[in-house]
Amino acid sequence: MSLPSLPDAYDDIPSFGRLRQPTPRTRRGDGIPAPRPEIRNPSSPAIGVRPRTPSGTKTPTTGPGTPTPPTATPAGNQAPTKPSLPGPRRPTELPPAHTTLICVALPGLAISGEHGQLTGEGLEGFYRGGRRMLSRCQIRVAGREPLPVQARMVTADRARFVGTLRVSADAGPDPDVIVERTRHADGTERITLHSTARRPLRLPVEVSLGTDLAELGAVASGSAGPELPAGVRDAGLRWSCATGHSTVTASPPPADALASAGLLRWELELPPGGSRSVELRVRPDGAGPIRPVGRGATSPLAQADAAGDDPRAGALLRTCLEDLEALLLRDPAHPSDIHLAAGAPWRCGMAPADALIAARMTLPLGTRLAAGTLRTLARTQLAGPTAQSGMIPGPRRDAGPHLPPGCTGTEATLLFPALLAEARRWGLPEQETEDLLPAAERCLRWLRATVGAGTYLPDPGPGGPLRCETQAHAHRAALLGADLLDAYGRPGADELREWAIRLRTRFQADFWVEDRGGGRPAAARIPDGRLVPHLGAATAHLLDTGLLGGGRQAPGLLDKVQTEQLARLLGGPAMDSGWGLRSLGAKEAAYNPFGHRSGAVRVQETAIAVAGLAAAGYEKEASALMRGVLAAAESFGHRLPEMYAGEQRTAGGAPLPHPAACRPAATAAASGVLLLATLVGVRPDTPAGTVTLRPVSSAPLGEIGLTGLRVAGAPFAVRVSRLGLAMVEEAADGLQLGG
């Protein structure tokens, strides 16, 4: 699917459940892809794709034959000569998602308002594969709509709506009919009427149905078009257009079906205290029910559980697992390879960088997801005698007000060898690791070739900035990649380590901004040497160094004094909102608490900061950020959105939802796993047959136990006491506790 100019989080998903090679775009005369000033589109092209478009504009599509407004492409690719704010941006209004209940079991979605009626407004409807199969489903009982009294998510793929009616003349002020609707992402809705009347009731029930069969992108852009005419089909209605068909069948069959009005009618008899139900099934013609990837034995994620003094930990882990399983997809050409979609409702396909990040965060739940993700992305790796050979394609992504869009392909290429190296430590079988090693080697060769004789890894194209987080990703990839090459007797490890040492030495001087507050790492360095000094959450990646053998963390780019200063800054009031880490400090120019890269709390970056701070020994700052996210999760019903407003927490307050955030989101759900795993500090080294425990000794949530984790392919359980002491309760045979 393609959406028109969406916020950063929605910029790199080409389709529902299908990994597609990115579409090309215009290049400048020097052969370098020309970036857009605001790349926020799921169909944004990847770096390294040969151009075919004849002009500087591109019209993304939401599906076959459905155009969306064009997005302009600038003529040049020059980085700004000095840090500055970009020019005015054309705002894009998306239908709000923060007040909706989103049921997910990909490729199925059901998006509902809190009232429970599907009115066809905004995003409401049943979707399958990115197409709205049913946009309107409105119930009237005895000629009236039920009064909505409650709407809640039951599981990740199911929502429950309750309304009431007063139909008896002698009922007084109390309702005597309860209307319960249970809505599933697979396209099923069950409507149940419960009577509390003292006499039998005969109630006419009408369900008004309609659809436009529009793609989600068209719905989001407001170009879905009118409802289609219905036809009677068996025990229900059918709609058809050039690009699809949809059928609603009812059980029991309706007494009347009026195609012209899109109406199904029943006369239901309810005895005193009795109930009657009607079930609707929404399907494309000839399609069966959706079978989610994450159900039962097919799920690649272990069914872990958390228990202890703070009950929020268990609730968070259970919800995160549900959300992750709801977002699982198979590679259609290789059904055994499972990966995560980025999030709903906007990003229901694979985003390479996000998929790798989420797979890495969920390694405590097993290595099957990591293996499937790596295999899927290895098949997209660019080949041929070009400078981009070995790169994993990815689109550009908005980087906030102070930097031009960044390349997610660079991030994915650097994440690939790091994930493979760490998955091996967690228990990825040696044969699977060795099969994926050539793809990791190609990523590492691309890294060394792109750096060349220099020190830093720049953005693609001349004049690109040297980003702080890109150097952190590259440094980690080099060290973990070298560790991996040595393990299999492959050449190149020494060269990678030598470059990493050179990068470390230069970075500590070249990327540090001195000021009266003790200094800070720069967000980026312009090629002419000037620094972009703004403090943002991207600096947390400097603390994410990766896992080496024996439970050791790889060295980082900052020295001890600089690391201590960064920890102080991340834990300070400018960055810690009380609900998590702001993406841009509150004192920085262009700060916006709702800005997805300029002040909002992004859960993924907060979890990375917590894990990095804890590993570096800064438990006070890590614990404060962790407690903030846990409190925010509670206010969101433990279903973490990918981001929310960075406004300062106040007593009795609640975090403000971002109206366009994905919820569920793969990286946010995976962050819940990483946060709890950080508390117990499991650091495995399966090839060496050891596991080391480095729990957060201050025990910020009191006693906590995690069961059902996976280390070395076997169940693993660990408990941390209120004193911060860890004890293994279950482990694979032969696995020894390291020092």
Side-chain angles (χ1 to χ4, degrees), residues 468 512 519-521 534-544 558 562-586 605-614 616 618 620-626 648:
C468 160
W512 194 256
R520 63 174 64 183
H534 310 288
L535 180 64
T539 55
H541 292 285
L542 294 169
L543 301 171
D544 179 19
L558 300 179
Q562 292 171 335
T563 301
E564 183 176 359
Q565 173 65 2
L566 177 58
R568 186 182 70 81
L569 291 171
L570 295 180
M575 290 298 294
D576 183 358
S577 70
W579 303 113
L581 193 68
R582 295 185 177 97
S583 53
L584 184 68
E605 289 168 336
T606 303
I608 288 170
V610 168
L613 287 165
Y618 299 98
K620 177 183 175 182
E621 293 81 1
S623 298
L625 288 170
M626 179 182 294
Q648 190 63 41

Side-chain angles (χ1 to χ4, degrees), residues 143 169 184 198 217 242 280 318 349 404 451 463 476 482 487 505 544 555 566 568 578 677 692 723:
H184 296 256
R198 288 176 288 182
L280 305 177
R318 286 189 295 274
V451 171
R476 181 181 62 232
T505 303
D544 179 19
L566 177 58
R568 186 182 70 81
T692 303
L723 300 176

